[in-house]
C-alpha cells in the first residue's frame, strides 16, 4: 500500500502490531514480534510508545526477536542495535527484558554458529513470528541478508556489502569503523513469519523498491524473494513508490 507520508503509514503499521498484541492477550497467549532497526521503523516505535502511554497498550505479553546486529559489537556501544532498540522502544514500554532477543555481537567466533542455531530454535519455541517488520537497504538487503543470500538461509554470520558499510559510516564516524560482519536472521527465517511488512520511505529508496517489487527474483537482490510470499505487504510513502 502507498501512503501520502511516513507518519500515516507508520501509524497504520503500529495499529496492526497493537491489534496482534491485543488479540493474543485476549487468548492468554504471547505476541511474537520480529523487529527491525534503522531509520525506517522509528516512527512505528514512537506510535507504539504513544499507544502504551495513552491507550494502555501493554507489552507484558510480548516477545521480540530483532533481525540483526553488527558483529562484533558490544551491546552498550552507541551504534549497537541493542542501544537502538532500548532508546527507540524498550526503555519506554513495559516489556520484560527476558522477552527481548537481539543477536549477540559479543560472541567468540567459535561460539557464534551455535548461538545462531539456538536463535532459530528460540523463535520456533516461542511459537514463530506473528509479524516481521523489515526495512530495505540500498543493496536490496532485508535484515543483513546481502546479495548472494539464499532463499532458505537461516540465522548466520554474514559479510556486509561495501555500500551497506558506506551507508552506515556516518553513525560510526567513518566507513573504516563499521564492522565488516553482522549476525542476521536468514531469508528463510523471515519467510516463516505469519505476516511480513516491508516499509520504505523517501526517494532514496525508490530505485531499490522498484527492483524489489518489479524486478526478476534473484539472489542479487534478496528483497525480490518477498515476491514469492503471500504474507508480505509493502508499505511505502509516495516518494518510495514513485518509480512503480
Ligand atoms: C540496516 C539494517 C536493515 C535496514 C537497513 C535500512 O542495514 N540492518 O535492517 O533495513 O539498514 O536502514 P534505514 O531504515 O536507516 O534506511
Amino acid at each position: 500500500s502507498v501512503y501520502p507520508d511516513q507518519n500515516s503509514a507508520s501509524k497504520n503499521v503500529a495499529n496492526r502490531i497493537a491489534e496482534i498484541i491485543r488479540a493474543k492477550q485476549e487468548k492468554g497467549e504471547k505476541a511474537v514480534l520480529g523487529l527491525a532497526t534503522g531509520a525506517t521503523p522509528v516512527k512505528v516505535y514512537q506510535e507504539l510508545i504513544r499507544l502504551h502511554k495513552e491507550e494502555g497498550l501493554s507489552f507484558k505479553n510480548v516477545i521480540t526477536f530483532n533481525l540483526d546486529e553488527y558483529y562484533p559489537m558490544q551491546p552498550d556501544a552507541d551504534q549497537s542495535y541493542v542501544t537502538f532498540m532500548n532508546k527507540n522502544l524498550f526503555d519506554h514500554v513495559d516489556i520484560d527484558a527476558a522477552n527481548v532477543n537481539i543477536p549477540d555481537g559479543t560472541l567468540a567466533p567459535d561460539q557464534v554458529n551455535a548461538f545462531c542455531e539456538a536463535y532459530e530454535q528460540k523463535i520456533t519455541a516461542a511459537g514463530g513470528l506473528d509479524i516481521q517488520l523489515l526495512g530495505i537497504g540500498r543493496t536490496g538487503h532485508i535484515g543483513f541478508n546481502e546479495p548472494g543470500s539464499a532463499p532458505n538461509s537461516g540465522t548466520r554470520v554474514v559479510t556486509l556489502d561495501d555500500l551497506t558499510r558506506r551507508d552506515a559510516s556516518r553513525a560510526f564516524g567513518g566507513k573504516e569503523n563499521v564492522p565488516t560482519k553482522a549476525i542476521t536472521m536468514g531469508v528463510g527465517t523471515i519467510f516463516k513469519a505469519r505476516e511480513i511488512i516491508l516499509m520504505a520511505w523517501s526517494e532514496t529508496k525508490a530505485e531499490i523498491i522498484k527492483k524489489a517489487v518489479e524486478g526478476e527474483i534473484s539472489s542479487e537482490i534478496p528483497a525480490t524473494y518477498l515476491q514469492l510470499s503471500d504474507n508480505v505487504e509493502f508499505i511505502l510513502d509516495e516518494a518510495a513508490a514513485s518509480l512503480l
Side-chain angles (χ1 to χ4, degrees), residues 36-41 67-68 70 81 134-138 141-144 164 205:
T37 51
T40 304
L67 277 170
D68 48 16
Y70 291 105
Y81 287 168
L134 297 174
I136 185 168
R138 288 198 299 149
H141 70 218
I142 48 177
F144 270 134
T164 299
K205 297 288 171 77

Side-chain angles (χ1 to χ4, degrees), residues 69 74-76 80-87 90 102-103:
E69 177 60 284
Q74 291 300 321
D76 58 358
S80 83
Y81 287 168
V82 172
T83 299
F84 176 96
M85 289 308 302
N86 288 341
K87 228 169 58 184
F90 299 144
I102 300 179

Side-chain angles (χ1 to χ4, degrees), residues 8-178:
S8 53
S10 299
K11 279 201 172 134
N12 210 278
V13 174
N15 285 337
R16 176 66 193 129
I17 294 170
E19 197 173 75
I20 291 171
I21 293 174
R22 288 184 171 127
K24 286 277 178 161
Q25 197 171 11
E26 264 174 43
K27 288 197 272 181
E29 294 172 10
K30 288 194 159 72
V32 185
L33 310 180
L35 300 180
T37 51
T40 304
V42 166
K43 291 207 160 136
V44 174
Y45 299 148
Q46 283 172 4
E47 179 64 11
L48 286 173
I49 293 165
R50 195 194 67 77
L51 290 171
H52 169 67
K53 297 208 151 113
E54 295 176 17
E55 295 182 29
L57 179 69
S58 173
F59 288 74
K60 279 271 176 257
N61 288 304
V62 173
I63 301 178
T64 63
F65 289 91
N66 263 78
L67 277 170
D68 48 16
E69 177 60 284
Y70 291 105
Y71 182 74
M73 178 55 69
Q74 291 300 321
D76 58 358
D78 283 351
Q79 302 91 348
S80 83
Y81 287 168
V82 172
T83 299
F84 176 96
M85 289 308 302
N86 288 341
K87 228 169 58 184
N88 286 287
L89 181 63
F90 299 144
D91 284 351
H92 311 284
V93 297
D94 60 343
I95 196 161
D96 186 341
N99 290 333
V100 169
N101 301 279
I102 300 179
D104 184 350
T106 71
L107 295 169
D110 64 346
Q111 296 176 315
V112 75
N113 287 343
F115 173 86
C116 290
E117 223 168 280
Y119 203 73
E120 291 281 333
Q121 281 165 10
K122 211 166 174 188
I123 295 172
T124 307
L129 300 166
D130 290 309
I131 187 167
Q132 177 64 57
L133 297 186
L134 297 174
I136 185 168
R138 288 198 299 149
T139 60
H141 70 218
I142 48 177
F144 270 134
N145 291 281
E146 296 284 23
S149 295
N152 60 353
S153 50
T155 301
R156 68 202 188 287
V157 176
V158 292
T159 299
L160 296 176
D161 241 61
D162 192 66
L163 176 59
T164 299
R165 292 181 65 228
R166 237 186 297 150
D167 281 349
S169 64
R170 188 134 65 104
F172 285 86
K175 197 187 91 176
E176 66 279 9
N177 302 325
V178 181

Side-chain angles (χ1 to χ4, degrees), residues 215-232:
E216 191 192 325
I217 298 169
S218 140
S219 71
E220 283 314 294
I221 299 182
T224 59
Y225 291 137
L226 296 173
Q227 295 174 29
L228 297 167
S229 169
D230 294 330
N231 306 327
V232 175

